[in-house]
């Protein structure tokens, strides 16, 4: 039952990291991807968001990490919820991240997953997780995956209205508890947003067709590796997907170079460690941070090795996390 009076709710969500990457939209308005993707949701780093609806129409107010922030994308996301509930109340949104915002750490994924869950709850909308995933996708594609914990797949879908382009959990984090060391090599906001980068890539990269044509095989290999808890197989397909996505974007005009020198140095270091028998692989998104995915027993050594790489500012150690969830708010 939708709320009859404005309410308030607080939710937390974690960033996720794609092992088989999403890059390219077949519909920009609905954020429908050209390809499916497969991710892991992290623990420790999180967005916490309180949404409070206030009776009366007007502008939404957004505070991010204690500062008044641009609200157009947040407002557009809340409009989807307001339309469902049949209200025109405005909202006060207070959100904070305990990690660098907009630097390739998927703050938009955790941010919009938390926003949609808190907003739906504050309006009394009891939405199943699949519907929340579709709504989060409308705000930022990868947010569809942060609704769920552990290993997650976001289906490309076939429907023009996007109703089948939603994420679903593949494997609980307790079933195969991987760990991730995130080497932060820059805290500057990225120069080209993923939306602009994807648009440029699809329009100009000669590899776009091959990217789309080969994704299904990568997804099948990654799904099988996850089901079998086969680390070596997951490592091979994940590094391949990451490097293929970057090769695709590097070949756009002008080419998209999301890496810096330390990014490349970390990738080499991870391969050296694996050559020495350590169960670890890298993945890199549309930014300069390197995420080294490993078995939990290797985490201390992987994190220590990455801290030694010149240009690494910080290494954040995570495990696999839960999906978006409600918490006692606002900043309890
Ligand atoms: O959700 P967006 O628009 O921020 O795009 C995310 C794209 C990548 O992080 C590079 C890949 C992915 O699958 O998360």
């Amino acid at each position: 039952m939708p709320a009859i009076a404005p309410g308030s709710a607080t939710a937390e969500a974690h960033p996720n990291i794609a092992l088989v990457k999403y890059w390219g939209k077949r519909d920009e308005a609905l954020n429908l991807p050209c390809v499916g993707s497969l991710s892991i949701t992290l623990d420790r780093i999180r967005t916490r968001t309180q949404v409070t609806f206030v009776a009366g129409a007007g502008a939404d107010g957004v505070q991010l990490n204690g500062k008044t922030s641009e609200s157009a994308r947040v407002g557009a996301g809340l409009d989807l919820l307001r339309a469902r509930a049949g209200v025109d109340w405005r909202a006060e949104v207070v959100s904070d991240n305990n990690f660098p915002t907009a630097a390739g750490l998927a703050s938009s994924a955790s941010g919009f997953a938390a926003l949609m869950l808190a907003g739906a709850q504050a309006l009394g909308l009891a939405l199943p997780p699949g519907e929340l995933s579709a709504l989060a996708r409308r705000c930022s594609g990868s947010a569809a995956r942060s609704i769920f914990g552990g290993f997650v797949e976001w289906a490309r879908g076939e429907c023009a209205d996007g109703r089948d382009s939603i994420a679903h959990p593949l494997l609980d984090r307790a079933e195969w508890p991987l760990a991730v060391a995130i080497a932060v090599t820059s805290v500057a906001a990225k120069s080209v947003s993923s939306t602009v980068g994807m648009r440029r890539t699809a329009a100009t990269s000669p590899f776009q067709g091959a990217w789309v044509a080969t994704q299904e095989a990568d997804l099948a290999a990654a799904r099988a590796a996850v089901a079998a808890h086969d680390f070596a197989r997951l490592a091979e397909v994940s590094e391949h997907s990451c490097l293929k996505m970057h090769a695709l974007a590097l070949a756009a005009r002008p080419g998209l170079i999301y890496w810096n020198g330390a990014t490349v140095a970390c990738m080499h270091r991870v391969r050296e460690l694996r050559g020495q028998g350590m169960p670890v692989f890298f993945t890199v998104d549309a930014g300069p941070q390197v995420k080294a995915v490993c078995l939990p027993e290797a985490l201390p050594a992987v994190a220590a090795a990455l801290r030694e790489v010149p240009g690494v500012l910080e290494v954040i150690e995570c495990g696999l996390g839960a999906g978006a969830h409600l918490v006692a708010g606002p900043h309890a």
Side-chain angles (χ1 to χ4, degrees), residues 3 92 106 113-114 171 188 206 253 289:
E92 288 300 332
L171 186 71
R253 290 190 160 161
Q289 328 304 3

Side-chain angles (χ1 to χ4, degrees), residues 19-324:
L19 303 184
V20 178
K21 301 294 186 192
Y22 151 54
W23 196 253
K25 304 182 196 228
R26 68 180 202 275
D27 181 323
E28 264 198 33
L30 293 175
N31 262 347
L32 298 180
C34 295
V35 292
S37 53
L38 190 151
S39 61
I40 46 177
T41 301
L42 303 180
D43 66 5
R44 254 202 82 200
I45 58 175
R46 55 102 188 111
T47 300
R48 180 180 293 160
T49 300
Q50 182 189 37
V51 180
T52 305
F53 284 97
V54 183
D60 298 310
V62 181
Q63 258 195 52
L64 178 59
N65 294 332
K67 290 195 194 119
T68 302
S69 160
E70 178 271 331
S71 68
R73 280 179 80 190
V74 170
L78 293 171
D79 282 345
L80 300 172
L81 295 172
R82 282 186 280 248
R84 290 259 181 150
V87 300
D88 63 357
W89 304 326
R90 69 184 189 87
E92 288 300 332
V93 177
V94 181
S95 187
D96 74 82
N97 291 329
N98 67 350
F99 59 98
T101 298
L105 281 187
S107 58
S108 64
S110 53
F112 285 111
L115 177 77
M116 295 318 259
L117 178 58
Q121 175 74 13
L123 288 173
L125 293 168
L127 300 177
E131 273 186 56
L132 268 179
S133 174
L135 288 167
R137 184 205 77 229
R138 296 278 301 272
C139 306
S140 178
S142 55
R145 300 185 307 235
S146 276
I147 295 296
F148 301 101
F151 296 80
V152 178
E153 182 169 354
W154 169 22
R156 174 195 189 275
E158 297 300 328
C159 299
D161 66 1
R163 102 187 89 102
D164 57 350
S165 186
I166 62 177
H168 65 274
L170 279 183
L171 186 71
D172 194 84
R173 60 195 166 126
E175 304 273 324
W176 196 23
L178 300 183
V180 183
I182 303 173
V184 178
T185 65
S186 167
V187 289
K190 63 187 166 204
S191 52
V192 180
S193 73
S194 45
T195 297
V196 172
M198 288 181 199
R199 191 185 298 149
R200 187 190 300 170
T201 302
T204 65
S205 177
F207 304 145
Q208 179 72 15
W211 165 253
V212 174
T214 56
Q215 186 79 349
E216 212 29 72
D218 292 352
L219 283 168
R223 248 181 247 129
V226 169
H229 301 193
D230 184 337
F231 190 85
R233 201 165 169 195
L234 190 62
E236 196 282 325
V237 70
S238 300
E239 285 194 0
H240 170 67
S241 178
C242 163
L243 293 172
K244 189 163 53 175
M245 181 198 98
H246 284 278
L248 169 74
L250 282 163
R253 290 190 160 161
L256 293 154
I257 308 174
Y258 285 110
W259 303 341
N260 59 35
T263 312
V264 177
C266 287
M267 290 156 73
H268 284 300
R269 190 75 186 101
V270 166
R271 285 205 162 169
E272 265 168 36
L273 294 172
R274 194 162 71 248
Q276 293 158 12
M278 211 174 275
V280 60
F281 64 85
F282 64 74
T283 190
V284 184
D285 291 306
Q289 328 304 3
V290 176
K291 291 95 176 193
V293 182
C294 60
L295 293 179
E297 58 270 24
L299 183 63
V302 169
L306 291 176
R307 280 189 188 103
E308 305 264 286
V309 174
V312 170
L313 307 174
E314 186 191 354
V315 175
I316 302 169
E317 297 177 39
C318 302
L320 299 192

